[in-house]
Amino acid sequence: MSPVFEKARFPEASDVHWWQQPVTVPCAVHPFQDLLAATLAEFRRCVEAHGAPMTILASSFGAHLAVHLSRQMPESIARIVLLGPTFDPEQAAMRLARRAFQLHMDDANAGKLAAALAAYEDDPGRARFWDVFGALSLLPDVPELYFSPNAGEAARSFVELIQQPGAFDGPTSVATSDDFAAINPKPLPSPYTGPVQLVFGKYDVMIDADKDAAAWRAIFPQASIHMVDSGHFPLQELPLEACLHPA
């Protein structure tokens, strides 16, 4: 997704560089690898422009980009903060789909999601994974599941912003996600030994805090774990300082 959400919520954050992820080039062979290369190039530009070390703040799937930077330029990183990091994005999305089904079993389209979930359970794979997502999109209020029950205006603002042109690029998401799944990265230790914070939302339906924390700690054994009062996007519900310095 675009940083339009963060820019709208924190217009005064002049010391933060919100990065606009490039869209996938049509027919790209390895879009996830292209994204990693673009991430590294952008970080190098920031280091040259502002000096190092720098703090890296990454949300959800973006945590894997932070891992790449930690392997390539560990000496240029002061601290890493991972917000709702999803080590296995496919399983995180399936948790979301199952939760949506539980909440909307009486919806007219719930049967389609039930059938897609059952087919995926019988034979997991990317084609059936996207079938689940297609059925999930037919249910009402799915974007609100990313938020805590008390999110209020944050959830409404997210729904409005995600409908704006450029806020979310579907083809890029699909291509990058499929390429990442094909690579199937393992949680190998990073050479970066500085401070790392894992920030999980108490109401995040996409995260299994124990399993996800174990995977991230395999990469960053020094990581501290913090639970905050939010859903999957702490930056959308909490002040920036609360995300950078969770209690």
Side-chain angles (χ1 to χ4, degrees), residues 173-203:
S173 177
V174 171
T176 304
S177 177
D178 282 348
D179 191 37
F180 176 85
I183 295 169
N184 192 24
K186 306 302 180 187
L188 302 176
S190 166
Y192 173 73
T193 58
V196 177
Q197 296 165 227
L198 306 178
V199 183
F200 296 115
K202 295 177 184 177
Y203 301 96

Side-chain angles (χ1 to χ4, degrees), residues 43 47 52-54 69-78 191-192:
F43 188 60
V47 168
M54 301 185 73
L69 295 180
S70 79
R71 299 190 193 285
Q72 300 298 317
M73 298 179 64
E75 73 288 345
S76 297
I77 302 172
Y192 173 73

Side-chain angles (χ1 to χ4, degrees), residues 197-212:
Q197 296 165 227
L198 306 178
V199 183
F200 296 115
K202 295 177 184 177
Y203 301 96
D204 190 347
V205 299
M206 302 184 74
I207 294 291
D208 181 321
D210 291 336
K211 289 182 180 179
D212 283 278

Side-chain angles (χ1 to χ4, degrees), residues 2 12 14 27 35 39 101 113 122-123 128 134 152 156 164 169 172-173 177 207 210 236 241:
S2 147
E12 75 286 356
S14 58
C27 300
L35 177 58
T39 303
F101 176 70
L113 179 57
D122 288 343
D123 184 21
R128 292 192 169 181
R156 288 188 292 273
Q164 292 186 5
D169 188 80
T172 291
S173 177
S177 177
I207 294 291
D210 291 336
Q236 296 302 310
E241 281 300 309

